[in-house]
């Protein structure tokens, strides 16, 4: 058995839990929108075509903000196509995913859906094929009350009140050669600066996210952020990050340690942002929007939903990257959420990509059921229970050896303390494939008295680490009680099963 000791002190905190850290992403890609959140004629659809079974799962998952409409899709998107009478909206070719976009679902529908789901809208503008004027017009359409061309058009299209969208993305992954209208850092930096100015002239209350590197392996990583922010630091509020991870060639140990890379990626971007701040003598702080992250099997699969196979013909909402997630994936996703929480003083927004069907925690079938994937559970519990202050952890753990990252802690963790409710939340992952971990959490000055609840996601009885929830067996992987968790003399003692993610809630004397 491995061992780990975590020391926590109530006076050593990172910052408040940013509620936007628990975001998601809806892109016009594959079946995320069509037959995902929106399917007129489905037995569970309401009068607007919103699937009520999917909505119920979204509410259970608990995202706080949802980015829309892309993604690569937005770099060729004409937002005007998605407003007005549905029967008059044009059908377009979407070059990003080589599909036909019907535009049956657009801005008005998404805003209405977001109200039903109780999530904030995070709207992206097209800076691939379009520019300053189109972005400025969209802010006027969405947020200006009335009395102008674009605001009155919104009212004519059925929305008397402004949408009041506060959070906007200035394009998507424009450093990437795959992106429609890709740009150099100089080109994008100037465009982002001028677009941001024009958008804020219309509505000074909005917050803007500049495009950062598409991933840490990009040849321009670091220099891209530096150049873009040298131009646009004063005009933007956040710089974006994107990262996807997968298991390669059966190397589960390295895969389970990928949060080490996420930590380094975040800290590298913070260093670059702060270098620009210092060099430019800026006073405000630009923070991070990690607005695409997840496990995504981009190589090694030859299933029919791979983009290069779908591109053989133009179709409406074909299956695209509908990854099936297993126990190992769920534990890894838990560690990613830990990483985001541990950097919550600077990562203020994060969006798991995507929400339904497309590399998603929720799956649905056309005309059929909807269900939770394994990765649903860590997200749902952290979104629900991470409240108050993020606690700084000192971890002394046994090590696990990996090919990619060397020796890493076998136990990965994050924790929060909500003084108002008197609740301590511990989020814990055991990266070992074979050994349980004997855990002690030393809680100083927090007055923990009792264990309110303890749950664990691990390999189910009779299964293995690759077990997943599928349409014919939707509840194979989930949370079960974690037995034997005790509070003794102000310290928590628990045994974490091999390959597991756990959440432990503690009551304090303040409750």
């Amino acid at each position: 058995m491995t061992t780990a000791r975590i020391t926590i002190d109530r006076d050593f905190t990172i910052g408040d839990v940013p509620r936007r850290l628990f975001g998601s992403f809806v892109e016009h890609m594959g079946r995320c929108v069509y037959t995902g959140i929106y399917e007129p004629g489905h037995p569970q659809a309401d009068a607007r075509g919103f699937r009520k079974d999917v909505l119920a799962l979204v509410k259970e998952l608990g995202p706080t903000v949802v980015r829309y409409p892309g993604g690569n899709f937005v770099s060729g998107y004409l937002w005007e196509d998605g407003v007005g009478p549905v029967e008059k909206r044009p059908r377009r070719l979407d070059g990003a995913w080589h599909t036909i976009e019907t535009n049956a679902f657009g801005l008005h529908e998404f805003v209405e859906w977001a109200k039903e789901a109780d999530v904030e809208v995070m709207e992206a503008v097209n800076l691939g094929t379009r520019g300053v004027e189109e972005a400025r017009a969209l802010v006027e359409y969405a947020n200006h009350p009335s009395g102008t061309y674009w605001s009155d058009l919104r009212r004519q299209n059925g929305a008397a009140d402004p949408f009041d969208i506060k959070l906007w993305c200035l394009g998507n992954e424009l450093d990437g050669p795959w992106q429609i209208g890709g740009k150099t850092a100089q080109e994008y930096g100037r465009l982002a600066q001028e677009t941001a100015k024009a958008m804020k002239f219309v509505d000074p209350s909005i917050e803007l996210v500049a495009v950062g590197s598409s991933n840490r392996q990009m040849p321009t990583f670091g220099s891209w952020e530096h150049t873009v922010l040298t131009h646009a630091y004063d005009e933007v509020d956040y710089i974006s990050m994107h990262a996807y991870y997968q298991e390669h060639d059966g190397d589960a140990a390295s895969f389970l340690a990928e949060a080490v890379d996420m930590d380094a990626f975040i800290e590298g971007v913070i260093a670059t942002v702060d270098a620009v701040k210092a060099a430019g003598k800026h006073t405000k702080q630009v923070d991070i929007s990690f607005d695409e992250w997840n496990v995504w099997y981009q190589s090694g699969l030859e299933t029919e939903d791979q983009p290069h196979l779908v591109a053989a013909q133009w179709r409406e909402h074909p299956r695209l990257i509908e990854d099936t997630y297993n126990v190992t994936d769920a534990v890894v996703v838990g560690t990613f959420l830990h990483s985001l929480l541990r950097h919550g003083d600077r990562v203020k927004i994060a969006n798991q990509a995507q929400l339904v069907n497309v590399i998603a925690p929720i799956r649905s079938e056309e005309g059929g059921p909807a269900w939770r994937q394994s990765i649903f559970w860590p997200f749902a519990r952290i979104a629900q229970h991470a409240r108050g202050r993020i606690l700084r952890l000192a971890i002394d753990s046994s090590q696990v050896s990996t090919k990619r990252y060397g020796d890493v802690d076998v136990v990965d963790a994050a924790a929060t303390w909500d003084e108002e409710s008197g609740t301590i939340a511990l989020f814990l992952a055991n990266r070992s494939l074979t050994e349980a971990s004997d855990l002690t959490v030393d809680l100083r000055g927090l007055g923990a008295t009792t264990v309110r609840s303890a749950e664990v996601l691990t390999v189910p009885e009779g299964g293995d680490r690759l077990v997943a929830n599928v349409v014919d067996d939707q509840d194979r992987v989930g949370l079960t009680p974690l037995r034997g968790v005790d509070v003794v003399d102000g310290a928590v003692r628990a045994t974490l099963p091999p390959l597991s993610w756990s959440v432990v809630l503690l009551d304090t004397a303040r409750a």
Side-chain angles (χ1 to χ4, degrees):
M1 182 179 291
T2 65
T3 61
R5 176 177 287 273
I6 301 174
T7 303
I8 301 174
D9 191 302
R10 59 165 288 171
D11 293 327
F12 292 86
T13 63
I14 293 168
D16 291 335
V17 176
R19 294 309 302 164
R20 286 170 166 172
L21 206 62
F22 314 114
S24 192
F25 179 28
V26 166
E27 180 172 10
H28 284 250
M29 176 184 181
R31 299 192 311 115
C32 187
V33 173
Y34 304 108
T35 73
I37 65 173
Y38 176 77
E39 188 180 341
H42 187 279
Q44 289 286 323
D46 66 14
R48 296 162 295 183
F50 303 158
R51 281 188 57 162
K52 292 183 288 186
D53 55 344
V54 172
L55 261 172
L57 291 178
V58 170
K59 291 178 180 179
E60 182 184 353
L61 182 69
T64 53
V65 57
V66 178
R67 182 169 170 247
Y68 174 85
N72 293 354
F73 172 81
V74 80
S75 291
Y77 181 53
L78 310 182
W79 67 264
E80 303 95 318
D81 288 349
V83 303
V86 173
E87 65 274 10
K88 294 183 179 180
R89 297 180 190 177
R91 292 165 59 87
R92 301 278 192 189
L93 297 181
D94 165 33
W97 302 114
H98 206 87
T99 56
I100 295 174
E101 173 56 51
T102 67
N103 286 302
F105 188 97
L107 179 60
H108 286 250
E109 288 80 14
F110 183 71
V111 169
E112 284 300 308
W113 178 88
K115 289 178 183 177
E116 288 293 324
D118 193 24
V119 299
E120 181 183 5
V121 173
M122 183 180 189
E123 182 76 9
V125 302
N126 175 0
L127 292 187
T129 61
R130 310 188 92 183
V132 176
E133 173 54 25
E134 293 87 355
R136 187 209 63 77
L138 178 53
V139 176
E140 181 182 324
Y141 183 93
N143 288 4
H144 196 69
S146 64
T148 66
Y149 174 80
W150 290 112
S151 61
D152 286 346
L153 182 60
R154 182 199 70 244
R155 294 170 62 86
Q156 179 183 318
N157 289 333
D161 296 326
F163 297 147
D164 197 26
I165 299 170
K166 295 302 181 188
L167 195 52
W168 297 79
C169 299
L170 297 169
N172 176 76
E173 292 186 357
L174 288 155
D175 62 330
W178 58 85
Q179 200 70 202
I180 298 172
K183 292 169 175 59
T184 67
Q186 290 282 359
E187 291 168 341
Y188 174 72
R190 286 288 297 123
L191 178 59
Q193 180 185 31
E194 294 305 320
T195 304
K197 284 163 55 179
M199 292 171 72
K200 287 191 172 183
F201 285 155
V202 175
D203 185 349
S205 71
I206 62 176
E207 301 169 59
L208 300 177
V209 182
V211 169
S213 293
S214 298
N215 57 69
R216 194 179 178 213
Q217 288 70 46
M218 294 297 291
T220 55
F221 169 59
S223 63
W224 173 277
E225 285 80 1
H226 194 282
T227 300
V228 168
L229 288 175
T230 297
H231 288 294
Y233 194 97
D234 284 333
E235 287 76 25
V236 304
D237 304 284
Y238 309 92
I239 188 84
S240 75
M241 296 176 60
H242 292 178
Y244 295 100
Y245 299 92
Q246 72 168 85
E247 182 177 329
H248 293 279
D249 302 320
D251 184 6
S254 293
F255 180 46
L256 286 159
E258 294 285 16
V260 172
D261 182 83
M262 181 178 272
D263 288 339
F265 189 12
I266 293 170
E267 288 156 19
V269 173
I270 291 171
T272 303
V273 171
D274 290 348
V276 176
K277 178 182 179 181
K281 300 178 178 60
H282 302 284
T283 55
K284 79 169 193 179
Q285 179 171 285
V286 168
D287 287 316
I288 291 171
S289 174
F290 208 136
D291 46 43
E292 287 188 34
W293 68 268
N294 206 351
V295 172
W296 173 12
Y297 287 85
Q298 298 183 65
S299 62
L301 292 180
E302 290 303 324
T303 50
E304 65 178 13
D305 64 344
Q306 297 307 300
H308 68 283
L309 297 176
V310 171
Q313 55 184 310
W314 293 98
R315 290 181 287 167
E316 295 178 21
H317 54 267
R319 292 181 185 271
L320 272 173
I321 58 171
E322 297 191 2
D323 289 9
T324 297
Y325 292 114
N326 57 46
V327 173
T328 314
D329 300 322
V331 175
V332 171
V333 163
T335 66
F336 292 160
L337 289 157
H338 299 172
S339 175
L340 295 169
L341 262 181
R342 291 193 299 260
H343 294 93
D345 57 331
R346 296 301 297 273
V347 181
K348 299 297 186 182
I349 304 164
N351 305 74
Q352 186 184 42
Q354 294 184 23
L355 182 59
V356 185
N357 289 327
V358 179
I359 51 170
I362 298 170
R363 285 288 304 274
S364 68
E365 285 298 334
E366 185 172 2
W371 68 97
R372 309 167 192 84
Q373 294 228 66
S374 66
I375 64 171
F376 180 101
W377 294 109
F379 188 105
R381 285 300 186 265
I382 292 184
Q384 179 183 5
H385 295 305
R387 305 274 174 166
R389 300 285 289 174
I390 305 166
L391 295 164
R392 193 175 299 278
L393 311 183
I395 301 179
D396 182 12
S397 171
S398 298
Q399 303 287 287
V400 59
S401 180
T402 74
K403 293 179 182 178
R404 183 171 296 184
Y405 302 110
D407 292 341
V408 302
D409 288 343
V410 71
V411 170
D412 185 79
T416 61
W417 174 46
D418 185 7
E419 186 173 13
E420 184 177 346
S421 67
T423 304
I424 301 166
L426 304 176
F427 309 107
L428 309 158
N430 181 358
R431 289 173 164 138
S432 173
L433 292 165
T434 57
E435 294 185 81
S437 188
D438 186 12
L439 173 69
T440 300
V441 183
D442 211 358
L443 299 165
R444 299 178 180 178
L446 287 161
T449 57
T450 55
V451 177
R452 183 189 307 170
S453 64
E455 297 176 294
V456 62
L457 184 153
T458 190
V459 176
E461 185 176 353
D464 59 30
R465 71 180 188 88
L466 302 179
V467 169
N469 294 338
V470 294
V471 65
D472 295 325
D473 194 356
Q474 299 175 12
D475 299 308
R476 187 77 194 282
V477 181
L479 292 165
T480 58
L482 178 63
R483 308 292 184 187
V485 183
D486 294 309
V487 179
V488 180
D489 297 329
V492 177
R493 302 190 186 280
T495 299
L496 305 179
L499 188 62
S500 65
W501 182 85
S502 302
V503 52
V504 176
L505 301 183
L506 307 169
D507 290 319
T508 70
R510 297 170 181 269

